[in-house]
Amino acid sequence: MAMDSAPINLTHHFLIAMPGLEDEAFAKSVVYMCEHSDRGALGLVINKPSDINVKGLFDKVELPLRRDDLTDNPVFQGGPVQTERGFVLHESMMPGHESVYASTMSIPGGLEMTTSKDVLEALSTGAGPRKVFVSLGYSAWGEGQLESELLDNSWLTVPADLAVIFDTPVEQRYDKALMLLGLQSWMLSPVAGHA
């Protein structure tokens, strides 16, 4: 890949960790990419649950939770950056319009990532988005860092499938993401090759 080639944009893609990626935060992880530009990248690990569930998180922020469908859902370890801060990935409440929440990033593909407490307040009343993924922390790469990791064969990439995030059991997400590429984990070598 020539360095002067067109920049890649992995927004609304999955990064799938190669077996040789041994960094504890990212080993065997699937990262949903919320933003990728020439300035860097931001994403959420979607397959590393923390030891707290959504009900526990709401108890911690002193809000009731009137959404039985979310009570036992795990809160995920979205990445090693700002691990005390909450990030809510959810379907767009009003597609094609400005978000109803104060601090929200719209992601091409129909999702939004909200960091303001108003989304939690909406969920606490029983309202809010129907499909919700909650994490503490996020994953970030500086300018050129992700591209360098891709050249080192640390990650596979594939356009995101929302069913993997919202409808697939946690323990199956890595394999389901690989299946989007027609791969199974046994097919991957833990040793990076360079042509």
Side-chain angles (χ1 to χ4, degrees):
M1 181 172 139
M3 292 309 254
D4 60 350
S5 63
I8 57 171
N9 183 342
L10 296 175
T11 302
H12 191 60
H13 279 65
F14 289 141
L15 294 183
I16 306 166
M18 288 291 286
L21 184 59
E22 295 175 357
D23 179 311
E24 189 178 321
F26 296 112
K28 211 159 187 215
S29 67
V30 179
V31 181
Y32 174 74
M33 297 304 295
C34 301
E35 182 177 46
H36 184 210
S37 71
D38 56 359
R39 296 182 316 276
L42 181 148
L44 299 171
V45 176
I46 64 162
N47 65 330
K48 299 220 177 201
S50 70
D51 55 4
I52 186 174
N53 64 19
V54 172
K55 172 76 169 92
L57 177 68
F58 274 70
D59 289 347
K60 222 175 179 175
V61 297
E62 300 177 355
L63 284 172
L65 178 58
R66 293 186 180 90
R67 286 279 301 270
D68 292 340
D69 59 317
L70 300 177
T71 302
D72 295 325
N73 286 6
V75 172
F76 288 81
Q77 299 170 25
V81 182
Q82 293 189 0
T83 56
E84 292 300 312
R85 188 166 177 201
F87 297 83
V88 181
L89 187 65
H90 56 88
E91 56 195 355
S92 178
M93 295 294 289
M94 298 174 60
H97 295 85
E98 201 169 302
S99 177
V100 298
Y101 303 115
S103 184
T104 297
M105 170 194 299
S106 290
I107 305 164
L111 292 184
E112 295 179 344
M113 183 186 66
T114 301
T115 58
S116 50
K117 193 174 179 181
D118 53 353
V119 69
L120 298 181
E121 291 165 346
L123 294 170
S124 80
T125 68
R130 192 172 60 80
K131 294 191 176 197
V132 176
F133 170 91
V134 181
S135 79
L136 291 173
Y138 67 96
S139 304
W141 292 263
E143 182 179 339
Q145 185 181 2
L146 180 57
E147 290 79 0
S148 176
E149 290 180 16
L150 290 168
L151 287 173
D152 287 341
N153 294 322
S154 296
W155 302 98
L156 294 170
T157 64
V158 65
D161 179 346
L162 301 185
V164 175
I165 301 170
F166 296 115
D167 304 323
T168 303
V170 176
E171 65 279 0
Q172 295 174 22
R173 291 180 185 177
Y174 184 81
D175 290 331
K176 287 277 191 197
L178 282 174
M179 288 163 86
L180 296 172
L181 291 167
L183 297 172
Q184 294 180 4
S185 55
W186 62 265
M187 298 172 165
L188 303 177
S189 168
V191 179
H194 296 277

